[in-house]
Amino acid sequence: APAPGSEAPVPETEAPGASSGVVVTDGCGRQVEVPANPQRIAALYGPSFEGCLLFGHAEDVIITMSGAMTNWAKVVFPGAENFQLVQNAREPNLEELTAQEVDLVLFWAIREKLDAMENAGLTAVAVKLDDPEWDDIAGYVAAVEAEVDTYGYVLNADQEEIDRWNDYF
């Protein structure tokens, strides 16, 4: 059985006539409407660049991870060397994100920061589960699969592709 709090987010369908986005329950339990096909992603949460890469959205990342770009990222996705890096991804400059017309921020489960982003008009999703709990490998696997599910849902992947990555993991 999955560890408490490791349930995968569930996309909800929109009512007819509503926007073309999808509503997901993020790692903080927030209901967030994300664009159906994000084009300008701030991948601030730890492995969120890799999540974008898994689901074919690496070219949409404009801001990623704090510090220096890893050599691994440059080899796997040569365009990564053109990403703008932030020195402290947990304290992003909201005015800069807004000015860069970011349409999706992938972030940690830090409620007050997510609320500040929302108040600034940004769409931010907590990828990591809020206080994940596991005491064995099965719980850890369930938590990582929930993160992969979140990436898949917000990046408009089909369920078969999401399941394929989780099976591989």
Side-chain angles (χ1 to χ4, degrees):
S6 66
E7 295 80 17
V10 179
E12 299 176 6
T13 57
E14 293 289 330
S19 73
S20 59
V22 62
V23 175
V24 297
T25 302
D26 76 357
C28 281
R30 300 162 52 244
Q31 298 290 304
V32 182
E33 182 178 347
V34 298
N37 191 17
Q39 300 295 304
R40 298 179 63 78
I41 302 169
L44 300 178
Y45 166 67
S48 58
F49 165 69
E50 290 82 351
C52 292
L53 186 65
L54 282 178
F55 293 106
H57 281 264
E59 69 280 356
D60 299 324
V61 174
I62 60 168
I63 300 171
T64 190
M65 67 189 75
S66 60
M69 180 62 63
T70 64
N71 287 332
W72 173 89
K74 292 175 189 176
V75 170
V76 173
F77 187 74
E81 61 190 21
N82 299 320
F83 291 154
Q84 177 182 347
L85 304 178
V86 294
Q87 293 307 307
N88 186 348
R90 289 181 186 248
E91 297 287 341
N93 182 317
L94 302 185
E95 290 175 4
E96 284 181 13
L97 293 177
T98 302
Q100 292 166 328
E101 299 178 356
V102 169
D103 59 6
L104 178 62
V105 180
L106 301 173
F107 204 69
W108 286 267
I110 305 172
R111 185 64 188 245
E112 61 274 5
K113 305 268 186 212
L114 293 161
D115 289 345
M117 288 181 210
E118 184 177 299
N119 290 337
L122 296 163
T123 300
V125 173
V127 177
K128 177 185 171 291
L129 296 168
D130 190 18
D131 298 323
E133 295 178 18
W134 61 81
D135 54 9
D136 60 14
I137 192 67
Y140 172 74
V141 168
V144 171
E145 287 178 342
E147 287 185 21
V148 171
D149 289 345
T150 299
Y151 292 125
Y153 295 141
V154 301
L155 298 173
N156 201 28
D158 63 39
Q159 189 63 49
E160 184 178 316
E161 186 177 14
I162 295 168
D163 293 343
R164 188 176 71 242
W165 279 115
N166 277 332
D167 290 346
Y168 176 78
F169 176 72

